[in-house]
Amino acid sequence: MRVLIAGAGPGGSLAAVLLARQGHDVVLVDRSEFPRDKACGDVIGPRALAVLKQADISLPAHAHRIGSMVLGFEAGQITLPARPGLGHGGYGVTIRRREFDDLLHREAERAGATTRVGVVTKVTRAGRRLSVSVGSESEDYELVVGADGANSTVARSMGLMNADRALMGFALRRHVLGATREDRVDLFLEQGDTALPGYGWVFDQGDGRLNLGIGVGIGTQRTRAKGARELLERYQRRLQAQGIVTITGSPSEMGGWLKMGLIGQRVADDGVFLVGDAAGLVNPLQGEGIAAALLSATLCASAIDRYGANGAGAYRSEIQDHFGAFLSTGYLAQRIALSHPRVARIAMRTLMVAGRYDRIASAWGLFWNDLTEYSGLQTGSLAARTMVHVGAAITQGVLGSPEWLG
Ligand SMILES: Cc1cc2nc3c(=O)[nH]c(=O)nc-3n(C[C@H](O)[C@H](O)[C@H](O)COP(=O)(O)OP(=O)(O)OC[C@H]3O[C@@H](n4cnc5c(N)ncnc54)[C@H](O)[C@@H]3O)c2cc1C
């Protein structure tokens, strides 16, 4: 079948690899020429590594390993342990997106996809076919995969997203020269600050450079992202003052939007499939989205392999099975943090005390990183699974069925 994939981030490129390997005629279009950079913490998490391995794609040996991580909140901190589970290795890696995305883009070409530079401006239906406009030219395709990120043109063109409901976030990262004592994430809930709740991070890139950034949950109001740079400044100063990082070189800065929790999204309809950020699959608790982009690309390619242009229903239910319970729990947590920061603060303080016990810290790490599906009988996995299912039941009970469940 003739397939147009809009966007060559991890989701689009992996979809192109898998569909081209299946023998489809794949055109992969991105607005940027590759290699190109992308705002990111540059962490490819354990789940993402598992999906890449399944697709037989290896990362370069210099990708730097990230294991256990310090989680800070107010004056306290705990260590989230990193242990292998049934389906994941228990560690992630940092690799710059310029290199990672280029590697996948080249893999798509190697698999037989045609790559093009161009901006997808519109998708319309023309009978059974889909007409895709790239710049001023239009062509017909049998299938379209929207992998064009948080502001997806494909999702908007095809009426697959409700902008009034979408749960948005904004994140800003710096690449700096320096060193850190530890890989670390800090949660913020300070009241009276528009750009909160949120989190900050610092990850060692293993080459004398750090990725340092912040992410903020903004609900549906993009103007709440306004204080993000000031928050990053303060966070960086705090890490320096505490002696956690030393910075020796000037930063390069880049920011981007996150679309989280599947809220207000329909991920597929009649020959059109959304993957990754376009489908709103970012983890609302910690902003990770590469694993979801890669996994959704795999599920999309598999639905197309089995049902061709009629695979939308199968894809929607696969997305629901793999992401529904966790994302609805994350959505609830974000709603509470946005509307009732005091309740969230009590919950976080309790967690910081309980998290001194290894089993609880392990459960929190699995839950927070959405690793329960891959964890088997790992320490804390039962508690993590319970958190996901109780959270999902509460979300549906309290807030009613989110649109994407219908
Ligand atoms: C600051 C920041 C830090 C983050 N840190 C992490 C992290 O450490 N780990 C993690 O897992 N996730 C992280 N994320 C989230 C992660 O970056 C995304 O979830 C991930 O990139 C999603 O991949 P994707 O393929 O769906 O979309 P993207 O990577 O966004 O790729 C979309 C592609 O589509 C192209 N495009 C967009 N519109 C068009 C158009 N109209 N026509 C043609 N091409 C188009 C873009 O050029 C882009 O190449 C972070 C995000 C931000 C903003």
Side-chain angles (χ1 to χ4, degrees):
M1 295 181 96
R2 195 141 195 268
V3 188
L4 181 286
I5 301 179
S13 286
L14 183 61
V17 169
L18 300 175
L19 290 168
R21 284 182 190 165
Q22 286 168 19
H24 296 287
D25 176 6
V26 178
V27 178
L28 175 64
V29 181
D30 199 284
R31 66 185 339 146
S32 303
E33 197 161 337
F34 278 66
R36 60 100 181 90
D37 206 355
K38 153 84 178 77
C40 193
D42 300 325
V43 175
I44 319 297
R47 210 158 57 116
L49 293 180
V51 180
L52 288 173
K53 190 171 170 197
Q54 200 189 340
D56 207 14
I57 296 174
S58 327
L59 295 183
H62 66 78
H64 178 68
R65 229 182 228 232
I66 297 247
S68 61
M69 192 175 289
V70 172
L71 175 70
F73 179 66
E74 296 180 337
Q77 64 176 53
I78 58 176
T79 300
L80 302 181
R83 299 193 182 95
L86 196 63
H88 70 92
Y91 64 90
V93 299
T94 57
I95 174 171
R96 295 204 167 198
R97 286 293 296 271
R98 188 179 164 82
E99 183 180 359
F100 177 65
D101 288 21
D102 191 45
L103 180 149
L104 291 179
H105 192 250
R106 279 187 283 115
E107 200 69 46
E109 286 173 337
R110 193 168 310 129
T114 304
T115 54
R116 285 192 196 153
V117 180
V119 179
V120 173
T121 50
K122 200 169 59 174
V123 183
T124 49
R125 286 193 190 281
R128 295 283 308 156
R129 297 182 75 78
L130 294 149
S131 168
V132 181
S133 306
V134 179
S136 56
E137 295 186 359
S138 296
E139 272 185 63
D140 285 356
Y141 293 87
E142 289 159 284
L143 291 169
V144 171
V145 177
D148 47 346
N151 296 315
S152 172
T153 301
V154 176
R156 274 184 284 116
S157 268
M158 301 310 293
L160 294 175
M161 97 174 250
N162 177 348
D164 295 334
R165 293 199 63 219
L167 185 66
M168 299 300 293
F170 179 77
L172 191 60
R173 69 96 177 107
R174 282 178 180 170
H175 284 153
V176 296
L177 294 174
T180 181
R181 203 168 68 192
E182 61 219 6
D183 295 314
R184 172 175 188 106
V185 173
D186 288 279
L187 299 178
F188 313 129
L189 280 164
E190 292 156 50
Q191 280 166 310
D193 194 326
T194 50
L196 288 171
Y199 52 90
W201 70 80
V202 57
F203 300 127
D204 190 352
Q205 299 205 299
D207 57 358
R209 287 183 263 200
L210 306 176
N211 185 313
L212 197 149
I214 53 104
V216 286
I218 55 175
T220 54
Q221 299 165 33
R222 292 192 184 218
T223 49
R224 284 179 64 104
K226 256 200 246 155
R229 176 162 293 122
E230 169 57 24
L231 183 65
L232 176 55
E233 276 299 326
R234 268 190 279 150
Y235 180 56
Q236 181 174 318
R237 281 199 300 269
R238 190 181 109 188
L239 291 178
Q240 286 174 297
Q242 291 173 335
I244 294 169
V245 302
T246 46
I247 293 177
T248 52
S250 58
S252 77
E253 199 173 273
M254 202 173 192
W257 300 101
L258 306 160
K259 195 163 62 167
M260 306 178 287
L262 258 176
I263 300 302
Q265 288 289 151
R266 188 168 171 82
V267 296
D269 213 356
D270 251 351
V272 181
F273 298 76
L274 302 178
V275 302
D277 282 17
L281 292 174
V282 171
N283 181 334
L285 298 180
Q286 39 78 306
E288 179 184 10
I290 295 171
L294 296 174
L295 179 56
S296 58
T298 308
L299 299 174
C300 168
S302 150
I304 291 173
D305 194 27
R306 282 178 293 149
Y307 305 107
N310 299 321
Y315 178 60
R316 282 199 303 267
S317 56
E318 287 282 336
I319 289 287
Q320 186 54 46
D321 287 352
H322 287 273
F323 297 97
F326 174 76
L327 290 182
S328 63
T329 305
Y331 170 55
L332 178 68
Q334 244 226 39
R335 281 273 300 248
I336 293 172
L338 273 164
S339 55
H340 299 90
R342 274 189 205 156
V343 175
R345 173 167 289 120
I346 293 167
M348 275 311 298
R349 283 181 181 161
T350 309
L351 180 72
M352 297 309 283
V353 173
R356 290 183 202 144
Y357 297 95
D358 179 66
R359 192 169 286 272
I360 307 273
S362 184
W364 174 248
L366 292 173
F367 167 73
W368 199 51
N369 292 312
D370 191 13
L371 281 171
T372 51
E373 187 187 336
Y374 294 74
S375 59
L377 292 174
Q378 215 178 325
T379 311
S381 61
L382 191 61
R385 267 195 278 272
T386 308
M387 281 155 86
V388 171
H389 291 293
V390 170
I394 295 175
T395 315
Q396 281 151 41
V398 175
L399 302 173
S401 279
E403 189 170 299
W404 43 266
L405 284 178

